[in-house]
């Protein structure tokens, strides 16, 4: 009976949290439009609101020193996002054309965040240093996204860099404008956003607590609860939206959405709370997820840049890589010190297959 109650609380918390996060996204978009935010910043705001369930679940886990669950939710969600938003979106759409400047601008920040996440999880640097490293890239990126052309022209940079940044921001906003059309916000939207945020926090905490207790009761490793179950469940709304948009030929914004979502997950869901509560000693399972997060980010960006977009074949490869990741994680979940064979070999196989695919003749998507 107790296990059934925990499962019921988990399912109810997930349903309420995800529903409230959708309301939060729509209201924050309206508020952003009311405040006159750029399309780029509206996209970041929407990504942050959509990340509410995983960020809250991760913070709740870290606050109770369930470090593997907390790290697993954030980093596992990021790996899942790459497979579901980019991979599945490309498979459904067939091809998703992307601007190369957008790939480079968002990709540089995305890779930097993934590297900072990895070295922090490995214990090379403390969480506070990892947070500072991420903010050193994320804050200038947000400033650039929110700047007008006139302000970009006044940046203390070489003229070629200013022109390039202006073009990249313009192209990113053109992609985001396909999917973001919020009406003008009102005061009631602020009240609804606050109420939705409270519901997301309460429901996500209940969901995380129920999932952790259920896993403990049945001997399910924390890394599976966080890195697979909670990671996938909390990312479902973004995944469904990505498939919906891709099926209608409007998936170009998915790259920016995925990278922004992943960067905010790491910042707000992992490094910020870990700076306060600590991240605990490094673990082989958390290290494994962080390595896969960086590797899959690099692979996705490499294919996107080569082809100026995502093809069905590259999308299928990313999904396949995620399935290999799941198999590798399930294999080592019960091991205190995972062996190299179960951790490194699957990753090397995926990297080798990706390298072979990238070595083929470059085909630019239409």
């Amino acid at each position: 009976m107790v296990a059934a109650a925990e499962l019921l609380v988990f399912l109810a918390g997930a349903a309420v949290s995800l529903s409230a996060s959708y309301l939060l996204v729509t209201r924050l978009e309206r508020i952003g439009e009311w405040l006159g935010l750029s399309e780029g910043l509206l996209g970041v705001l929407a990504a942050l609101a959509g990340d509410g369930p995983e960020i809250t679940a991760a913070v709740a886990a870290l606050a109770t020193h369930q470090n593997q669950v907390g790290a697993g939710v954030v980093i596992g969600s990021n790996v899942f996002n790459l497979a579901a938003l980019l991979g599945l979106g490309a498979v459904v759409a067939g091809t998703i054309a992307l601007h190369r400047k957008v790939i480079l601008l968002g990709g540089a920040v995305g890779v930097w965040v993934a590297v900072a996440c990895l070295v922090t999880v490995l214990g090379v640097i403390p969480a506070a240093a990892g947070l500072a490293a991420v903010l050193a890239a994320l804050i200038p990126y947000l400033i650039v996204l929110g700047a007008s052309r006139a302000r970009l022209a006044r940046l203390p940079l070489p003229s070629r860099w200013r022109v390039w940044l202006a073009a990249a921001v313009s192209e990113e906003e053109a992609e985001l404008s396909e999917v973001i059309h919020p009406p003008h916000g009102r005061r009631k939207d602020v009240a609804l956003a606050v109420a939705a945020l409270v519901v997301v926090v309460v429901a996500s905490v209940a969901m995380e607590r129920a999932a952790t207790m259920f896993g403990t009761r049945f001997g399910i490793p924390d890394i599976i609860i966080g890195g697979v179950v909670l990671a996938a469940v909390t990312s479902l709304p973004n995944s469904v939206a990505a498939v919906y948009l891709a099926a209608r030929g409007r998936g170009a914004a998915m790259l920016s959405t995925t990278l922004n979502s992943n960067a905010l997950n790491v910042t707000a869901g992992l490094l910020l709370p870990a700076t306060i509560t600590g991240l605990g000693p490094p673990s082989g399972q958390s290290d494994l997820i962080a390595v896969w997060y960086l590797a899959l980010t690099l692979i996705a960006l490499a294919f996107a840049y080569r082809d100026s977009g995502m093809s069905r074949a590259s999308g299928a490869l990313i999904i396949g890589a995620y399935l290999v990741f799941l198999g590798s994680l399930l294999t080592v979940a019960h091991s205190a010190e995972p062996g190299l064979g179960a951790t490194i070999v699957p990753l090397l196989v995926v990297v080798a297959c990706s390298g072979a695919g990238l070595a083929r003749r470059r085909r630019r998507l239409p």
Side-chain angles (χ1 to χ4, degrees):
M1 289 296 293
V2 176
E6 290 168 351
L7 181 59
L8 183 61
V9 170
F10 168 74
L11 294 175
V16 172
S17 175
L18 299 179
S19 300
S21 70
Y22 174 77
L23 176 63
L24 181 60
V25 169
T26 58
R27 299 303 153 173
L28 285 180
E29 286 180 345
R30 293 185 179 190
I31 294 170
E33 179 70 16
W34 185 20
L35 296 175
L37 298 184
S38 66
E39 296 283 355
L41 288 182
L42 281 176
V44 173
L45 194 63
L48 179 60
D51 289 342
E54 51 258 57
I55 290 175
T56 305
V59 171
L62 290 170
T64 54
H65 304 290
Q66 297 284 339
N67 296 324
Q68 284 203 0
V69 175
V73 173
V74 168
I75 311 174
S77 292
N78 287 3
V79 181
F80 185 86
N81 282 343
L82 291 166
L85 273 68
L86 288 183
L88 187 57
V91 169
V92 171
T95 58
I96 298 176
L98 298 167
H99 294 96
R100 278 189 160 183
K101 291 186 177 67
V102 174
I103 298 169
L104 288 175
L105 178 62
V109 177
V111 171
W112 179 266
V113 170
V115 170
C117 176
L118 175 59
V119 296
T120 303
V121 170
L122 289 174
V124 177
I125 60 175
L131 177 63
V134 167
L135 292 178
L138 193 58
I139 291 175
Y141 173 67
L142 295 178
I143 292 173
V144 167
L145 286 184
S148 63
R149 283 185 171 272
R151 289 180 179 176
L152 287 175
R154 293 196 297 270
L155 289 177
L157 297 171
S159 59
R160 292 180 62 183
W161 289 25
R162 293 197 298 268
V163 171
W164 190 93
L165 279 175
V169 171
S170 177
E171 290 174 356
E172 180 159 357
E173 292 193 341
E175 290 181 355
L176 289 170
S177 65
E178 296 179 352
V179 297
I180 299 179
H181 298 286
H184 199 73
R186 300 177 181 178
R187 287 185 176 85
K188 70 175 183 179
D189 291 309
V190 177
L192 286 172
V194 171
L197 178 61
V198 172
V199 173
V200 167
V201 170
V202 173
S204 297
V205 170
M207 173 183 63
E208 184 275 328
R209 288 286 82 209
T212 301
M213 289 188 291
F214 186 86
T216 301
R217 188 176 305 279
F218 289 96
I220 303 173
D222 286 348
I223 199 65
I224 298 299
I225 293 295
V228 178
V229 179
L230 287 172
V233 170
T234 55
S235 299
L236 281 177
N238 288 337
S239 305
V240 172
V243 172
Y244 177 85
L245 293 168
R248 285 153 181 78
R250 300 170 66 188
M254 287 307 100
L255 178 70
S256 297
T257 301
T258 303
L259 296 175
N260 289 339
S261 175
N262 286 359
L264 294 170
N265 269 347
V266 170
T267 305
L270 181 64
L271 297 180
L272 181 58
T275 299
I276 300 171
T277 66
L279 196 56
S283 72
Q285 292 88 353
S286 298
D287 296 348
L288 176 65
I289 299 182
V291 170
W292 273 92
Y293 165 38
L294 174 58
L296 207 54
T297 298
L298 290 170
I299 290 171
L301 290 171
F303 276 103
Y305 185 82
R306 187 197 67 172
D307 297 333
S308 295
M310 297 296 297
S311 67
R312 180 169 284 138
S314 57
L317 187 146
I318 293 173
I319 295 173
Y322 180 75
L323 295 177
V324 175
F325 156 75
L326 283 184
S328 179
L329 186 61
L330 290 171
T331 300
V332 305
H334 292 277
S335 303
E337 293 295 335
L340 292 178
T343 55
I344 300 300
V345 172
L347 180 60
L348 291 178
V349 170
V350 169
V351 171
C353 292
S354 303
L358 289 168
R360 296 176 58 189
R361 182 175 62 86
R362 173 180 172 274
R363 66 187 280 267
R364 192 182 182 92
L365 296 176

